[in-house]
Amino acid sequence: MCSHIGKHILCASSNVPEEVVLKEQVGDMMPCGFCGRSGIPECTITIKVPVNGTPTWDTKCMFQHKFKYGFADSGSKNQPCRNIPVKCDLCHPALPPEPGKTSQKPQAIAVEAVWRYNMPNHVVHLHKEYIVPGRREGGVMLPPAVWKAMKLTDLEQSVVRILKDRWQSSFAAASELDKENMQASGSRGAKRPALESSGSLPSKHARTSVSRLQTALTSLN
Ligand SMILES: [Zn+2]
Ligand SMILES: [Zn+2]
Ligand SMILES: [Zn+2]
């Protein structure tokens, strides 16, 4: 997990314009959380999630570095970025213990991991029957474990200046996902009044939308 890269990835996936011109683009599909690139075989990452204990991950990304999983998962004021590899429970549902074998802990096996900030895209493209707050309104409610894996904190959403009316929490809380929301998500970049501007955001940013393809990385440091 790299908070610097993570911020760019979150900007790109949330369609928030960057304030700097980036030299190298953030990959537009499932960017690696360590380097921000897409489609690099070495960046494939796997995760083992034991029944008790901390998940462990494995990747060959040359920009990988160690981090405290539990600490990164909670996030903090100094380290709000929570872009860590997670297990998708829709791809890999937790298996109930085999009958009569409850005393023996099932061995955690390595499965392909998804970076948290990529989870909305992952579910949109690979689990088409589910609701994705802010992305797809119709469908089946996400299992709590999957929602927990992709949910962003208010802090990380404010750090990259996602407009408050697009915060996940506002989608999750809104029982009436009305036409206005549908229009807003369907016409990003169109001129429209900011419903509930974050205040710190200049209004031109609220109305300017850049394609996530235009977003890129300044450096890989
Ligand atoms: Zn990488
Ligand atoms: Zn999945
Ligand atoms: Zn940067």
Side-chain angles (χ1 to χ4, degrees):
M1 184 228 19
C2 171
S3 56
H4 172 203
I5 299 294
K7 200 176 153 187
H8 290 307
I9 291 173
L10 194 53
C11 278
S13 70
S14 311
N15 229 11
V16 172
E18 292 265 17
E19 288 167 346
V20 288
V21 178
L22 305 175
K23 278 186 203 148
E24 197 178 331
Q25 295 189 336
V26 168
D28 68 327
M29 277 307 287
M30 308 295 157
C32 169
F34 288 120
C35 68
R37 298 172 299 175
S38 289
I40 312 265
E42 287 75 24
C43 293
T44 301
I45 187 161
T46 60
I47 191 168
K48 276 187 199 176
V49 183
V51 179
N52 299 305
T54 311
T56 53
W57 49 266
D58 188 49
T59 181
K60 294 189 167 58
C61 176
M62 62 191 291
F63 295 98
Q64 68 177 283
H65 58 88
K66 299 227 180 310
F67 59 88
K68 288 211 168 82
Y69 192 96
F71 187 75
D73 192 22
S74 336
S76 63
K77 218 167 183 182
N78 290 334
Q79 195 67 273
C81 176
R82 293 165 58 251
N83 192 26
I84 55 172
V86 295
K87 178 169 83 86
C88 173
D89 270 40
L90 297 170
C91 293
H92 308 284
L95 296 171
E98 278 182 56
K101 282 197 176 176
T102 43
S103 59
Q104 200 179 352
K105 271 183 196 158
Q107 194 76 35
I109 51 158
V111 297
E112 195 164 331
V114 180
W115 290 91
R116 168 167 285 139
Y117 292 174
N118 298 342
M119 272 300 282
N121 260 339
H122 173 87
V123 176
V124 162
H125 294 293
L126 285 138
H127 307 291
K128 295 182 191 283
E129 67 272 38
Y130 290 93
I131 292 171
V132 182
R135 297 286 302 276
R136 185 167 56 213
E137 313 304 347
V140 184
M141 286 290 279
L142 287 167
V146 179
W147 174 235
K148 186 173 166 276
M150 74 161 71
K151 196 174 183 299
L152 304 174
T153 61
D154 288 354
L155 184 59
E156 61 194 330
Q157 294 183 93
S158 65
V159 162
V160 297
R161 302 182 178 187
I162 297 172
L163 287 182
K164 271 201 169 165
D165 64 309
R166 297 210 193 122
W167 280 20
Q168 286 181 343
S169 51
S170 71
F171 287 104
S175 49
E176 57 345 319
L177 287 164
D178 51 25
K179 284 174 204 138
E180 201 166 29
N181 263 346
M182 299 287 282
Q183 282 172 358
S185 54
S187 63
R188 280 181 188 177
K191 268 199 171 186
R192 65 182 186 87
L195 297 176
E196 210 183 304
S197 157
S198 66
S200 59
L201 194 70
S203 61
K204 73 178 166 83
H205 279 191
R207 288 165 199 174
T208 320
S209 175
V210 287
S211 150
R212 67 170 83 104
L213 284 167
Q214 283 174 270
T215 347
L217 299 174
T218 35
S219 69
L220 292 172
N221 295 326

